[in-house]
Amino acid sequence: MIEFLLNGRIEKVDQVDPNLSILEWLRTKMRLTGTKEGCASGDCGACTVITGTPDQQGKIWYEAINSCISLVGSLHGKELVTVDAFQQEPGHPVQRAMMEKHGAQCGFCTPGIVMSLIALHANKEGTDPNDDRLLEALSGNLCRCTGYRPIIDAGRQALVQEWTPGAEHPAAGLDGGQVNGVLTAIHQDSITLDVPDGPRYNAPVSLDELRALRREFPDSRLVAGSTDLALEITQQLKTLDHMISVERVEELRGCEQHGDELVIGAAATYQQFRGTLSELWPAFDPMLERLGSLQIRNRGTLGGNIANASPIGDMPPPLIALGATLVLDGPEGERQLPVEDFFHGYKQTDLKPGEFVHSVRVPVPRANEQLYIYKISKRLDDDISAVLGAFRLTVADGVVADCRLAFGGMAATPARAPKAEAALKGQPWNDDSVTAAITALANDFTPMTDVRASATYRQQVAGNLLRRALLASDANTSETLMVTDYA
């Protein structure tokens, strides 16, 4: 059984299909139809809801998530707030601003937009509207009526207004105090969600429990944020017989520096490790800002991105470029290997039966080291890479003392470019050496043509990204490059 708070009311759910998304549960079981389904793949944001989780200081932290690809089992111990909670006058500042600025067009996407802005308002610091944060909050919400200007205007207006709902408000949890007590009273033990003779969902809370479950059920499917796995349910119409969630395993959620390495747990979400990782390696920040949408980054995890083994996953290339180490765990204990050795082929990895990703050990910068990450996609926000280049360079006295060049989207797996590396090492860091490395790069990969890009385009762009790193080093910047720079 799972227990959580829904719009200020405790809900206890037992014997429900764990393949059910939060969206489907809301609409079909609870008849709360304010939350809409647009794409069922986490792309449009019409299904956006807010989850609240108490932090160690007792404050509830609110996050906008895609309910269409978040499973109902993930709600245990949390607060769930939907647009249906905001029905009293005078309304939330976001609602009033959306009306006053004419931000609602047909209305289908509006509930999701409202919830994204309310989540931002709940966590805002001070009264600065901060356009960067506003645009980030809205990056995962599509308006099919193309009315973005009044929506942004509404966000700017709402963020400078205070909101103190009364105790009678169905979303009184936005105050935090009362709800925090309710949430902390919910048990923190492991949970099981299932239906008789049907699918099963386990959520252990310790590493030992997870190992035991994986020993007993080596063919079970691991799930964390479900931003990819849930697509098998919503898009491929599969029923997953047994899922084991790693989301509540404390040992897999950390992000701390130990000596000369940053250790990031496999269950840490992008938003949880983004700040710490970007402080060490600033090139990660603009890339992570473009990894999915804010709703996706609030749920997606590092371990999921790696174990999914997609050739266009955004995290593996920079981790390979940095020489990061992958820690695997399972019934037979823990082992380590370089991230680059984890991928054997398309969707094929080094994981043995029952094993799972435990953490990633990322080296901290050393003298004269610089990291460049460039993502190429058809649109700026919420899109998958056509090519991603990540280059770690050690340049001393104008000479490339060492380099690791990694790419995604160029082969069946994320991989290094050994011939291009050999052409650069020991050479001056200048245009002639980069030109030679680009020539060698043509022998490192045989890219494919698909809907995202042609093979010729990928090959040319990959070389251009390396030249971009040279130009960026001259300007002492490492900003992410948009596809329009090459189109």
Side-chain angles (χ1 to χ4, degrees):
M1 182 181 72
I2 61 172
E3 188 175 359
F4 57 94
L5 200 61
L6 170 63
N7 295 337
R9 183 182 68 250
I10 282 287
E11 290 289 338
K12 298 180 180 181
V13 178
D14 195 10
Q15 293 193 347
V16 65
D17 185 354
N19 289 265
L20 207 61
S21 68
I22 295 174
L23 174 66
E24 284 295 306
W25 180 80
L26 285 171
R27 293 183 61 85
T28 63
K29 303 297 183 182
M30 303 304 292
R31 307 305 297 170
L32 294 175
T33 55
T35 308
K36 310 300 183 186
E37 178 180 308
C39 65
S41 59
D43 287 332
C44 75
C47 69
T48 301
V49 296
I50 296 172
T51 57
T53 308
D55 61 20
Q56 294 180 344
Q57 287 72 42
K59 176 186 176 183
I60 296 182
W61 184 256
Y62 291 94
E63 294 180 320
I65 67 168
N66 297 116
S67 63
C68 69
I69 55 172
S70 296
L71 302 178
V72 67
S74 67
L75 288 173
H76 180 76
K78 299 179 182 178
E79 180 186 10
L80 173 63
V81 183
T82 74
V83 72
D84 311 271
F86 299 91
Q87 299 185 36
Q88 274 80 10
E89 294 294 341
H92 192 280
V94 167
Q95 293 172 293
R96 299 200 302 270
M98 286 285 285
M99 291 185 289
E100 293 169 6
K101 296 296 183 179
H102 307 287
Q105 284 82 50
C106 76
F108 188 87
C109 305
T110 302
I113 292 168
V114 167
M115 296 308 286
S116 289
L117 290 175
I118 287 177
L120 178 60
H121 189 280
N123 296 318
K124 71 185 179 73
E125 299 174 0
T127 57
D128 180 8
N130 195 322
D131 274 10
D132 289 339
R133 293 188 65 202
L134 175 60
L135 294 176
E136 180 186 30
L138 291 171
S139 64
N141 292 89
L142 297 180
C143 171
R144 289 164 173 35
C145 300
T146 67
Y148 293 110
R149 183 193 55 76
I151 293 170
I152 292 171
D153 289 344
R156 290 192 184 110
Q157 175 175 306
L159 287 180
V160 299
Q161 297 179 8
E162 294 301 322
W163 172 233
T164 308
E168 75 286 354
H169 195 285
L174 290 175
D175 268 344
Q178 171 189 344
V179 168
N180 191 28
V182 175
L183 293 181
T184 54
I186 295 175
H187 76 84
Q188 297 301 311
D189 300 329
S190 59
I191 61 167
T192 299
L193 193 64
D194 58 11
V195 291
D197 300 318
R200 179 180 178 184
Y201 177 99
N202 290 102
V205 294
S206 73
L207 200 55
D208 287 340
E209 285 184 273
L210 177 57
R211 288 170 179 154
L213 283 167
R214 290 294 283 165
R215 182 182 294 110
E216 185 177 0
F217 306 104
D219 295 328
S220 58
R221 302 294 298 276
L222 292 179
V223 60
S226 70
T227 56
D228 187 82
L229 185 65
L231 299 182
E232 295 186 23
I233 301 171
T234 64
Q235 304 299 301
Q236 301 177 33
L237 305 182
K238 290 182 180 180
T239 295
L240 304 183
D241 294 329
H242 189 187
M243 289 177 280
I244 298 177
S245 171
V246 301
E247 183 179 2
R248 302 178 66 226
V249 178
E250 191 64 33
E251 296 96 325
L252 304 185
R253 296 169 57 186
C255 179
E256 297 179 347
Q257 185 170 336
H258 297 282
D260 59 356
E261 292 181 316
L262 178 66
V263 181
I264 307 175
T269 67
Y270 301 118
Q271 284 300 96
Q272 288 170 346
F273 68 76
R274 174 181 172 181
T276 305
L277 180 60
S278 299
E279 282 184 14
L280 291 174
W281 298 100
F284 272 101
D285 196 58
M287 187 275 282
L288 285 169
E289 187 177 6
R290 295 185 56 201
L291 196 158
S293 62
L294 183 57
Q295 291 96 318
I296 294 295
R297 295 192 293 276
N298 283 335
R299 290 289 298 158
T301 62
L302 178 60
N305 192 256
I306 294 172
N308 186 41
S310 170
I312 50 177
D314 285 342
M315 286 302 296
L319 293 175
I320 291 172
L322 290 176
T325 300
L326 195 59
V327 181
L328 305 179
D329 206 332
E332 304 305 318
E334 183 181 293
R335 65 188 178 100
Q336 300 185 14
L337 76 163
V339 172
E340 61 189 290
D341 294 340
F342 179 69
F343 306 100
H344 293 179
Y346 179 73
K347 295 285 186 176
Q348 298 175 357
T349 72
D350 202 64
L351 283 171
K352 298 175 181 178
E355 279 192 327
F356 52 90
V357 179
H358 177 285
S359 56
V360 180
R361 307 181 75 91
V362 183
V364 302
R366 292 177 293 186
N368 301 317
E369 280 189 333
Q370 183 65 52
L371 176 68
Y372 302 90
I373 307 174
Y374 299 118
K375 174 175 177 173
I376 301 298
S377 57
K378 287 189 173 182
R379 63 177 187 258
L380 180 63
D381 289 315
D382 201 10
D383 200 7
I384 297 171
S385 297
V387 177
L388 190 145
F391 318 129
R392 193 210 70 189
L393 297 160
T394 303
V395 180
D397 298 324
V399 175
V400 181
D402 192 18
C403 67
R404 292 174 65 96
L405 314 178
F407 289 90
M410 294 291 287
T413 66
R416 289 171 67 180
K419 293 182 174 62
E421 288 179 3
L424 266 184
K425 287 179 182 178
Q427 301 301 313
W429 179 232
N430 59 26
D431 189 71
D432 289 341
S433 298
V434 169
T435 298
I438 292 172
T439 300
L441 186 64
N443 298 314
D444 280 317
F445 300 107
T446 305
M448 64 179 291
T449 295
D450 60 18
V451 296
R452 300 195 178 280
S454 68
T456 302
Y457 179 85
R458 283 188 162 103
Q459 192 70 56
Q460 181 175 347
V461 164
N464 285 350
L465 293 182
L466 189 55
R467 193 179 303 279
R468 177 73 179 191
L470 173 64
L471 298 173
S473 67
D474 291 338
N476 195 29
T477 60
S478 56
E479 70 278 6
T480 300
L481 189 62
M482 293 171 51
V483 66
T484 49
D485 290 327
Y486 288 107

